[in-house]
Amino acid sequence: MMPDQEKGLSSLRRALALLRIVARGDPAGMRLKDIASAAGCSQSTAHRALQDLMAEGFVEQVEGGKRYRPSLDFFVLAARAGQAGGIRDLARPVLLRLATTLSDTIFFLVRNGYDAVCLDRVEGPFPIRSFTGDIGGKVPLGLGQGSLAILAHLPEAEQEEVIRFNIPRLIDRGFLDEAGLRAAIARAREQGWVNLNTGLIPGMAGAGVPVIDTQGRPVAALSVGTLAERLGPERLPGVVRILKTEADNLAAGLNPFDVTLRYPLRSLSNVRP
Amino acid sequence: MMPDQEKGLSSLRRALALLRIVARGDPAGMRLKDIASAAGCSQSTAHRALQDLMAEGFVEQVEGGKRYRPSLDFFVLAARAGQAGGIRDLARPVLLRLATTLSDTIFFLVRNGYDAVCLDRVEGPFPIRSFTGDIGGKVPLGLGQGSLAILAHLPEAEQEEVIRFNIPRLIDRGFLDEAGLRAAIARAREQGWVNLNTGLIPGMAGAGVPVIDTQGRPVAALSVGTLAERLGPERLPGVVRILKTEADNLAAGLNPFDVTLRYPLRSLSNVRP
DNA sequence: TGATATTATTCCGATATATGGAATTTTTAT
DNA sequence: ATAAAAATTCCATATATCGGAATAATATCA
């Protein structure tokens, strides 16, 4: 039906595309036919590639069935990729300290192109739903406290580019118009931190601060999510102060690492510009 | 130097091996030469494959450098694979309830061949170091509370096979001899749960229960890790009871899913039999 | 800073491998 | 039980892959 993807992909690229399709597909598994058609290649080709993907342990078949799904070994393998150059291990003690000090849910996000990715999270006593969702979740820069904190501290030109790219995506997700976003950015930049009550759930609120590396780039963010009543005027300033202190601690350990990432890889980000 | 891996791997298999090497390598990135030699192929081949892996977003180069490392997009992609057929979403509310009720750190493990993999974890107020470490971490079955709980409830033949396979690995990690393991298994099987003080850190303790699916297979485990003083004779029975209740809840939701995994994929598990 | 060694990247022809359509087998649906 | 759909295997052909050699880019050291 739909016009073929770009022709002449190497067999490897095609196979990787298959892996992506399976990984993004139904966790309960996908049928060969659907995988092949999603990839725009013949079933034979898809079949052979999937056999190899299975042999290498990236994909498995549901026992007794034919459906393919990503394997646990794949998950284990990629969990290491969440290090993003080692930053996650650096951040972990910071998160634990924050969670203990504040008794709220703490998030650690890093920038990845036009998005922020949740690398780690420590729960507080109240279940919090965040935009990023789980560890490994992704949000457009600008959506949510930490994500907005990063966006607000980007160099102007880059910020502008991200805004242009993300506006449609943000609107798609039902939040903010461009004016609102720009106002929020201005406020965040001025204050050096973000405080939003526009949580997913009424009664929830959060605050976020950027983690600025030695080159002045906002490579990550720390944020806290909690009950709105726990971020009232009396507590908020203290929370922000503590977040900022820990963000500085984290930034101090960052020098040896280069967490600046290359530009977004379209192939993996199903964004619509 | 070392004899070539099996010859005649398809280009895809070889490229996947490269991906695995990079993902397992230094989080700060690996040099082409080292990748190529680790994979036993020419640099040209490795180079071309890595270009494709980058184009598809599985690998990235440290900005300004040449080193290759797994990309964040890869991490994001695979985070979904941790679903293992959907079980993680089922377990999440259970974990949150347990954490709230017990105020201790809760782990959720699933079996994967000869190993247990940590799929999720909710922290309590005390930092706990577990054998699995982070989410995505892996331990040989038998090491740690949850992992032992799974092993202890396997059908006898399968249990025997796992024991034989894992004994060297367990000894390698400095724990238990075979007799000790078998004793611990017997106790666990009898009680229906596991309680160990042989934590990584003196003063820590934990307890674990298996999650048994409708076919009677121990597909997963719930465990708690905390201060030894919080698992004394007065509190332990209650903790175990609560764990068992939640394990049953979880098992009840399990029917529609098939979490039984195929046999261990050697290629991804760097185990030494 | 300049010279040199190491590593990364490109090029290339021979060869092995991937490709999709058709045939066959297995599974699912009726 | 039968029919329909999906999965898997087979095959001839076209094409992409391979590693060695040449070149370019970096890192190392004086």
Side-chain angles (χ1 to χ4, degrees), chain B residues 152-174:
Chain B
H153 291 82
L154 285 176
E156 188 144 339
E158 203 170 350
Q159 184 180 86
E160 201 53 47
E161 184 193 341
V162 172
I163 292 174
R164 267 203 305 280
F165 187 87
N166 276 357
I167 280 288
R169 306 167 68 205
L170 292 170
I171 289 174
D172 253 25
R173 301 189 54 162

Side-chain angles (χ1 to χ4, degrees), chain B residues 71 80 96 161 186:
Chain B
S71 74
R80 308 190 38 135
L96 290 173
E161 184 193 341

Side-chain angles (χ1 to χ4, degrees), chain A residues 11 14 40-42 44-45 48 52 66:
Chain A
S11 71
R14 181 161 296 171
C41 65
S42 73
S44 336
T45 301
R48 257 173 300 107
D52 282 350
K66 297 295 175 186

Side-chain angles (χ1 to χ4, degrees), chain B residues 124-194:
Chain B
F126 318 105
I128 297 290
R129 286 195 66 65
S130 73
F131 295 114
T132 40
D134 254 334
I135 294 175
K138 198 166 78 168
V139 280
L141 284 178
L143 185 53
Q145 291 90 23
S147 174
L148 178 56
I150 294 172
L151 176 57
H153 291 82
L154 285 176
E156 188 144 339
E158 203 170 350
Q159 184 180 86
E160 201 53 47
E161 184 193 341
V162 172
I163 292 174
R164 267 203 305 280
F165 187 87
N166 276 357
I167 280 288
R169 306 167 68 205
L170 292 170
I171 289 174
D172 253 25
R173 301 189 54 162
F175 298 91
L176 284 171
D177 49 9
E178 177 159 354
L181 176 62
R182 289 188 185 277
I185 288 174
R187 210 175 324 123
R189 181 156 221 163
E190 199 178 300
Q191 298 180 131
W193 49 274
V194 172

Side-chain angles (χ1 to χ4, degrees), chain A residues 19 23 58 73-82 112 265 268, chain B residues 19-20 22-24 56-60 69-80:
Chain A
L19 175 54
F58 287 80
D73 283 315
F74 178 54
F75 171 68
V76 169
L77 185 69
R80 307 190 40 138
N112 189 39
L265 303 148
L268 276 188
Chain B
L19 175 54
R20 200 164 45 231
V22 172
R24 288 230 184 97
E56 292 294 328
F58 286 81
V59 159
E60 67 191 11
R69 67 179 182 198
S71 74
L72 264 187
D73 282 316
F74 178 49
F75 170 69
V76 169
L77 184 69
R80 308 190 38 135

Side-chain angles (χ1 to χ4, degrees), chain A residues 17-181:
Chain A
L18 288 177
L19 175 54
R20 200 165 45 231
I21 288 166
V22 173
R24 290 228 183 98
D26 186 340
M30 288 182 77
R31 294 186 313 180
L32 174 64
K33 192 199 172 196
D34 298 327
I35 298 170
S37 90
C41 65
S42 73
Q43 287 191 205
S44 336
T45 301
H47 183 258
R48 257 173 300 107
L50 285 166
Q51 295 307 314
D52 282 350
L53 285 164
M54 280 185 38
E56 292 293 328
F58 287 80
V59 159
E60 68 191 9
Q61 277 182 309
V62 176
E63 182 154 297
K66 297 295 175 186
R67 305 176 93 94
Y68 298 88
R69 68 180 180 196
S71 75
L72 263 187
D73 283 315
F74 178 54
F75 171 68
V76 169
L77 185 69
R80 307 190 40 138
Q83 275 292 79
I87 196 173
R88 192 172 61 184
D89 283 348
L90 283 172
R92 181 113 197 110
V94 169
L95 286 195
L96 290 173
R97 274 203 301 275
L98 280 170
T100 307
T101 309
L102 299 178
S103 291
D104 285 309
T105 297
I106 311 293
F107 298 93
F108 177 55
L109 309 180
V110 299
R111 183 194 172 193
N112 189 39
Y114 298 116
D115 298 293
V117 172
C118 177
L119 276 201
D120 207 348
R121 171 205 57 190
V122 179
E123 281 85 7
F126 318 105
I128 297 292
R129 286 197 65 67
S130 73
F131 297 114
T132 42
D134 254 333
I135 294 174
K138 198 166 78 167
V139 280
L141 284 177
L143 184 52
Q145 292 92 22
S147 173
L148 178 56
I150 294 172
L151 176 56
H153 291 82
L154 285 176
E156 188 143 340
E158 204 171 349
Q159 184 179 89
E160 201 53 47
E161 184 194 341
V162 172
I163 293 174
R164 267 202 305 278
F165 186 87
N166 276 356
I167 279 290
R169 304 167 70 205
L170 292 169
I171 289 173
D172 253 23
R173 302 189 55 162
F175 298 90
L176 286 170
D177 49 10
E178 177 158 355
L181 176 62

